[in-house]
């Protein structure tokens, strides 16, 4: 993120936007939209090239985000609704137990069974509610870490943006490597062609074949 901010400030140097201290998270996806003049090279390619030269260890940052794809599929709102449904279901069972207390001995077995169920399930539901609360706090913390308001830029959007960025970054890096390899092969081919020309016998004006041209003359 620091390298992206540095690139942005460098491009905007001399303007009010050239001293930014941060940026919106979704701005990282716009790196593929800004291209060099008359070139397919984007800022994403430039970022990858810059990291390859200065901080090559950062090129594999995606390996630290192995759970990102799975996390991007989480739907916290749906989980919250399911958790609330479980809580309300348990509350209804508790109401049934309370109501059965006026039924007398005929409901003794029913009340006993229901109470045992509530004792076991109640602990599980409380643990589930505590776990969901922790997940919610962690999800909000991730949005805040990237400087976003969890209410406006929730965890699902953060995960989706990061996953898309990882894909675009890796694609740009692979294209850079292919370009480097193509340029290497081109330079090698040109060198071989030049060496072949240097070994070609030179004909004199009278048609006699002389020695090959020396590259040292």
């Amino acid at each position: 993120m620091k390298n992206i901010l540095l690139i942005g400030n460098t491009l905007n140097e001399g303007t009010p936007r050239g001293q930014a201290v941060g940026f919106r998270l979704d701005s990282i996806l716009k790196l593929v939209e800004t291209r060099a003049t008359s070139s397919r090279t984007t800022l994403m390619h430039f970022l990858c090239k810059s990291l390859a030269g200065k901080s090559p260890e950062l090129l594999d940052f995606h390996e630290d985000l192995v759970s990102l794809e799975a996390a991007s599929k989480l739907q916290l709102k749906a989980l919250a609704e399911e958790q609330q449904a479980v809580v309300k279901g348990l509350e209804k069972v508790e109401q049934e137990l309370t109501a059965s207390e006026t039924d007398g001995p005929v409901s003794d077995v029913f009340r006993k069974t229901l109470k045992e169920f509530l004792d076991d399930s109640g602990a599980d539901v409380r643990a589930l509610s505590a776990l969901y609360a922790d997940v919610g706090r962690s999800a909000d913390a991730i949005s805040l870490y990237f400087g976003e308001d969890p209410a406006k830029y929730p965890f699902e959007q953060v995960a989706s943006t990061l996953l898309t960025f990882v894909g675009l970054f890796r694609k740009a890096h692979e294209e850079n490597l292919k370009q480097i390899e193509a340029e290497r092969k081109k330079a090698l081919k040109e060198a071989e062609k030049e060496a072949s020309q240097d070994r070609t016998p030179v004909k004199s004006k009278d048609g006699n074949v002389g020695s090959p041209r020396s590259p040292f003359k």
Side-chain angles (χ1 to χ4, degrees):
M1 293 298 176
K2 290 181 179 179
N3 286 279
I4 295 175
L5 180 61
L6 177 61
I7 291 175
N9 282 336
T10 300
L11 290 174
N12 293 317
E13 188 174 3
T15 71
R17 299 173 61 186
Q19 298 297 324
V21 295
F23 52 87
R24 294 295 304 274
L25 183 60
D26 56 6
S27 297
I28 62 178
L29 303 183
K30 297 180 181 180
L31 292 175
V32 297
E33 298 176 4
T34 305
R35 300 178 180 275
T37 305
S38 302
S39 173
R40 292 186 300 175
T41 301
T42 67
L43 280 181
M44 188 71 81
H45 291 98
F46 179 79
L47 173 63
C48 294
K49 184 177 181 180
S50 176
L51 292 179
K54 299 178 180 179
S55 305
E57 70 278 3
L58 296 180
L59 292 171
D60 296 325
F61 77 93
H62 61 275
E63 294 181 357
D64 295 328
L65 303 173
V66 292
S67 301
L68 183 58
E69 184 172 0
S72 68
K73 297 178 182 179
L74 288 176
Q75 297 295 324
L76 295 183
K77 183 178 180 180
L79 291 177
E81 292 174 351
E82 292 179 6
Q83 186 259 344
Q84 285 298 315
V86 171
V87 171
K88 289 181 179 180
L90 189 65
E91 290 175 350
K92 289 183 178 180
V93 174
E94 291 174 341
Q95 292 170 3
E96 287 288 340
L97 178 61
T98 301
S100 69
E101 293 177 354
T102 61
D103 295 342
V106 70
S107 296
D108 285 349
V109 176
F110 173 74
R111 285 197 301 273
K112 182 181 178 181
T113 302
L114 209 56
K115 190 175 185 308
E116 291 175 352
F117 171 78
L118 284 172
D119 289 341
D120 294 337
S121 300
D124 292 337
V125 171
R126 286 191 293 274
L128 176 64
S129 297
L131 177 60
Y132 178 78
D134 287 340
V135 170
R137 285 191 291 269
S138 297
D140 288 348
I142 291 175
S143 294
L144 292 171
Y145 176 80
F146 288 103
E148 299 291 350
D149 181 353
K152 298 179 180 179
Y153 209 101
F155 168 79
E156 293 90 340
Q157 195 170 349
V158 171
S160 177
T161 297
L162 293 177
L163 182 64
T164 301
F165 174 78
V166 168
L168 295 173
F169 181 93
R170 296 183 67 180
K171 180 182 178 182
H173 178 49
E174 291 173 1
E175 290 174 348
N176 281 351
L177 294 178
K178 289 180 180 179
Q179 182 178 359
I180 292 173
E181 180 63 15
E183 292 175 351
R184 185 190 69 81
K185 289 182 178 180
K186 181 180 179 181
L188 180 61
K189 187 175 181 180
E190 291 177 349
E192 291 175 346
K193 181 179 179 181
E194 183 176 345
S196 177
Q197 291 175 343
D198 291 337
R199 292 192 297 269
T200 302
V202 179
K203 289 185 178 181
S204 62
K205 293 182 179 180
D206 56 9
N208 294 325
V209 178
S211 60
R213 292 174 294 177
S214 172
F216 301 104
K217 290 184 179 180

